[in-house]
Every structure is written in structure tokens, then in C-alpha cells.
Amino acid sequence: MFGKNFQRKYALTDQGVRNTKKGAFWTVIVNLVVMGGVSVLYLLMSGFMDTLTGGAPLPGAWLPIALTVLFAILSFVTHLQQYRATYGLVYGEVKATRLRLAERLRKLPLGYFGKRDLADLTETLMGDVNRMEHVWSHVLGYLYGAYISTAIIAICLLVYDWRLAIACLWGVPVAFGLLFGSRKFASRAAERTKAAGIRVSDGIQEALENVREIRATNQEARYLAGLDRKIDEHEKVMIRGELGTGVFVNAASVIMRLGVATTILVGAQSILAGRIDFMLLFLFLLVITRVYAPFDQSLALIAEMFVSQVSADRMNEIYETPTAEGAETFAPKGHDIVFDHVSFAYDQKDVLRDVSFTAREGEVTALVGPSGSGKSTCARLAARLWDVSKGSIRVGGVDISTIDPEVLLRDYSMVFQDVVLFDDTVMENIRLGRRGASDEEVRAAARAANCEEFVRRLPMGYDTPIGENGARLSGGERQRISIARALLKDAPIVLLDEATASLDVENETKVQEALSRLLAGKTVLVIAHRMRTVEAADKIVVLAEGKVAEQGSPAELMAKRGLFYHMVELQRQSAGWKLG
Ligand code: ADP
């Protein structure tokens, strides 16, 4: 009952499973104590009835009083234990789960974070855990405890009188059957509500991000109307979902209660037939109202439990994504990067097939090829942002899949198109390259990266905040900041993605100068877009549809008159054409 499946289904930690067991145990005890109280009531009543009908002496008052006090105390103690075991312990579970998720996230391949929407991840860490918390504390222990205690009580009733017992309890399995049948509906409704909610927040975010463009183009009314529609849609989906589950839950509750009616019917008949006496019917009626109580509590929340499956699935997805781990030391001999028969697929989609090439230390190796041919993927694999599916990538003879990504990345500088800048000063943004670098070192890197001239124009020089993600900087300036970072880091391997973003000629020259300082003496793997870079490279790897089509020095490839030659010719013609 509380095995691996249970743990996975409710995304519990090991401790969480133990706590739930405790909660269920105390729920069973509470329910049995309540039943004990009911039996005492029954005994007293039948004693009283005997006095009324048979003239037996009236039992003394001390016994009922003593029993009442005893059960009050028992009831208090067991409820307290139940409370501790369900609500109290579960708060630790929330903390443990967040830590478990965070620890897992830390070890996931970095590429994972490019694939998943970060807002979505935050939502899992905070929102999904909160939703599960409610299920852990308010539902699981009670529900499973109720299953067990109802089974025990059902057996006792069956032994007493099986006809009456069936009349009492038939509603319970039917009600649960109905609920579990509605489960698909509930989780589909939950998914729909969630998707509509995400559409609303995306819409709001988009509107905020593009507020300038929207105003400038007088699109406010149109935009707001669109947002209005999304909000209405969200509301509608949510109401529909809640109404639907509400109908099922209430129907289940009513069906369970029909048991009272059937018990009275069957009981009355049995009394008439002389099979049982009135007191036994009275006992059954007392018992069944108590049987429903623990279910009622969880029934109201069972819809939530179904809905929570979406949250649990999302948490499980994180738990079950393979992590990237490895040795804490990385001692390569030199920094040649060797792709050795590498194949790779994102999810199911094959992107690289049997790619082999070597990028030598001190040389610039340019990856060229049509868009979608797998150039960026090669660069990502070279830094172990993802792990290869087949073959291996070695740096200085060491297979990088055996090295902890955090350690590995100390030897890499990455200058990619999407420079991430933080809302901090220019100084701190560059210092990110190497923590602990002195101001003077930061300035030296900035000078070498040709940042100095634009930094001087900023109102507070290096201490100017640059706005969220560098809002106050131009594309070329942002790039130079990221080059300065890389220069400061001075790692032996540089992965470079040349921006296709249009830089003006002056900017481009400055960026090129900065780059040539950065690249000297390093192992450089560049995703090349500019002819100038390609012609100056020591080696060119031409990718086409995820395979290496050609490789060699620019001169060799030109002489070969293959794919590369044609690409160069095409570029020349179009450039010439433009000039003309
Ligand atoms: P290039 O850099 O040459 O333009 P990429 O390496 O970016 O090529 O992409 C190669 C192929 O892999 C493309 O078909 C692209 O759609 C796919 N791809 C790239 N990144 C991802 C990703 N994170 N998830 C799934 N598919 C991806």
C-alpha cells in the first residue's frame, strides 16, 4: 500500500512516506476509538432498554460517567497524535522536498535549463510543492487511514450481520468508483486551467515587456482586448473545472449516505421477520454515520488530490531526468577538443550523427553550415551542457562526460549570442567572469575588450547600473561586456557564437579587435557567420544535416571545390550584388 508506487505518485520523500504511514496509523486509531465510544453508547442504551422492557435494575450512574470521561481522554490524546502525525510532520516534508528538488536541479545538465521555461521551474519549486503540501497534510493520512479503519469496521459489521452490513456499506465502494471514474475529467480540467493561467501570465509579461512598442504603435486597445479575452477564458475554464469536480464529489457523498436509507429499510424488514432486535439496527445506524465522517473529510479534498497529480508529475519529471555528475578534478593534457564519432538527439530528434573532428589548442576552428545543421549543438556538447548519446568528446584526452560540469566549465569561456547581463553596475557585470578579480583587473579586461570608450560615456562610468538585462546598452556593447568577462576569466577554451545581429561597421571592428585579444593562444571553437572569421580560421568543419560534410583548412576546402567553396562563392556574389 505504501510502496514505491505510492511514493512516486505523491512525490514523497522517504521520510514523507514514513510520516504518511504514521498519519494513517493514528487516523485508524482515532476512528477505532470513536467506534469504541459508539459501542459504549450501544451497551448503555441496551442496558437502559432492558430496564424499560424487562424490569432489570437500573445500572449505576458512575459507569456511564467513567466511560464517558475515559473516552473523552482517549479521544483527545489520539486526535492530538493524529494532528501531529499529519499536519505537524508534513511541514518538514515541504522543506525536504524543496531541498531535494533544488539539489536535483543543481545536478541536471545545464542544457535542461535552456529547454525548460524558467518561470515554469520556479512554479514547480514553489507552487507545485505548496499544492502537494495540502495533499500531504490534509488528505493522504486521513484518506488511507479511513480506508484501513473502514475495512476493519466493515469486517466487524459483516461478522455481526452480513445483510445489514451490506445495506450499510454498499455506498462506499460505489462512491469511490464514481470519484475515481471522474479522475480523468478532474486532471484534464486541471491541465486546462493551468494552461489558461499560463496564457494569462504570458500575456501580461509580454505586454509589460513590449509596452514601448505597443504604445508607439497605438495598439493598446487591441492588446488589452486580447488580454481581457485570455483572462475571461481562464475564468471560464476554472469555473467549469470546479463545477464539474464539485458535481462528482457531491454525488459521491450523497450516494454514500444512501446507505442510511437502505440500512433502515433492510433493518426494518429484519426486525419484522424477527431476525434482529431494534437495538442492533440502532447500533448499525450509529456506526454508519461514523463510518462516513472520516471519508467526508477527505472526500472534499479528493478532487484536490486528483488535480495534484499534475503537480506530482512535474516534480517527478525533475526527479527522473538523468543528472550530469562526475569527478571533482579535471587534469587534461593540453586543451585539444576531440569529437569522436559523436551522435546526439534532443528528446527523440536526431541532431548530430557520427560527428568527428579535432579543435586544436592555439587554433581557431570554425563550424560552418546552414542554419539547423547542428553548429550550436556541437558547441553546447563541447561544454557538456548536454551529454552525447553516442561516441565521446575528449578535452586533453579526458572524456568530459566523466567530469562534474561545474569543474569542467572553469576551463571554458563562452561568448554566446544571448549575453546574460544582470541589473547591476558595469563593473560587477564584468567581474562575473572571475569572482574576486580586483577593480584594476576588471578595468584592464574592459580596456582589452574595447569597452572603455563607451563606459566613459556612461553617467557614472563603471559604476553605472545597466538596467535589466543590459537594457541601456547596444548589441555591440553588450557583446563587448561579455568578451571582457571572458578575457577576465582567461580560460583555455573559448566557445564563441558570432552574432548575426546586425552590428554597425564601427562596432563590428571593435568587437573583432576585442575578440582577437581574447582568442590568442586558446582552443577556439567558433560558430562562424562572417566570411572574415571563416577565412581567418585555421580549420573549418562544415556541417550539413548533423553530419560533417567536409573539414580542413580554408585553402584546402577552397581547392576541393565542394560545399564550402559553393558557400563562399554564394556569399561573395550576394555581397557583391548588394554593393552593386
Ligand atoms: P545551428 O546552430 O546549426 O543553427 P542547432 O544546433 O541550433 O543548429 O540546431 C540543430 C537542430 O536541433 C535544429 O533542427 C533545431 O531545431 C534542433 N534543436 C536545437 N536546440 C534544441 C533543443 N533545445 N531542443 C530540441 N531541439 C533543438
Side-chain angles (χ1 to χ4, degrees), residues 107-162:
K107 290 193 192 136
L108 288 182
L110 286 169
Y112 181 83
F113 299 94
K115 192 178 77 170
R116 279 245 343 223
D117 186 359
L118 289 188
D120 193 39
L121 272 182
T122 321
E123 167 64 17
T124 296
L125 263 174
M126 305 310 293
D128 285 338
V129 175
N130 271 349
R131 258 185 297 280
M132 287 314 292
E133 179 218 300
H134 215 233
V135 171
W136 295 329
S137 61
H138 289 63
V139 186
L140 278 191
Y142 288 102
L143 189 65
Y144 280 78
Y147 287 155
I148 299 170
S149 50
T150 306
I152 296 174
I153 292 162
I155 291 171
C156 295
L157 292 184
L158 279 168
V159 169
Y160 242 96
D161 187 309
W162 64 268

Side-chain angles (χ1 to χ4, degrees), residues 125-337:
L125 263 174
M126 305 310 293
D128 285 338
V129 175
N130 271 349
R131 258 185 297 280
M132 287 314 292
E133 179 218 300
H134 215 233
V135 171
W136 295 329
S137 61
H138 289 63
V139 186
L140 278 191
Y142 288 102
L143 189 65
Y144 280 78
Y147 287 155
I148 299 170
S149 50
T150 306
I152 296 174
I153 292 162
I155 291 171
C156 295
L157 292 184
L158 279 168
V159 169
Y160 242 96
D161 187 309
W162 64 268
R163 289 189 197 87
L164 266 189
I166 290 175
C168 264
L169 295 169
W170 67 269
V172 176
V174 175
F176 273 83
L178 180 71
L179 272 179
F180 282 91
S182 76
R183 200 188 171 115
K184 250 213 182 92
F185 171 84
S187 31
R188 217 178 316 133
E191 260 163 48
R192 253 189 245 133
T193 309
K194 178 134 215 160
I198 288 176
R199 276 198 295 278
V200 170
S201 44
D202 278 352
I204 292 175
Q205 196 177 345
E206 192 183 55
L208 291 176
E209 275 171 7
N210 302 322
V211 69
R212 245 178 301 175
E213 284 75 7
I214 295 173
R215 286 236 181 108
T217 51
N218 275 330
Q219 305 248 23
E220 279 154 311
R222 200 178 64 85
Y223 227 88
L224 284 179
L227 205 55
D228 248 4
R229 207 175 34 200
K230 282 180 195 154
I231 293 173
D232 282 349
E233 179 64 26
H234 181 221
E235 200 176 276
K236 239 185 265 160
V237 174
M238 200 158 64
I239 291 175
R240 220 179 292 147
E242 286 185 359
L243 196 69
T245 24
V247 166
F248 280 113
V249 167
N250 283 311
S253 175
V254 168
I255 288 177
M256 211 156 70
R257 285 204 158 57
L258 282 179
V260 179
T262 48
T263 309
I264 292 176
L265 277 178
V266 174
Q269 255 173 4
S270 303
I271 293 175
L272 286 180
R275 224 172 34 77
I276 61 167
D277 62 1
F278 170 74
M279 280 315 292
L280 191 68
L281 176 60
F282 176 69
L283 170 70
F284 269 77
L285 286 175
L286 274 183
V287 169
I288 53 172
T289 47
R290 295 308 314 168
V291 166
Y292 302 147
F295 279 121
D296 261 355
Q297 208 163 11
S298 27
L299 215 56
L301 292 163
I302 203 163
E304 195 174 353
M305 193 171 100
F306 294 158
V307 171
S308 76
Q309 207 50 57
V310 180
S311 296
D313 287 345
R314 284 148 51 99
M315 284 157 69
N316 281 324
E317 197 226 303
I318 294 178
Y319 291 143
E320 285 157 18
T321 305
T323 52
E325 290 172 75
E328 299 291 327
T329 51
F330 178 46
K333 293 187 194 67
H335 286 89
D336 286 356
I337 304 175

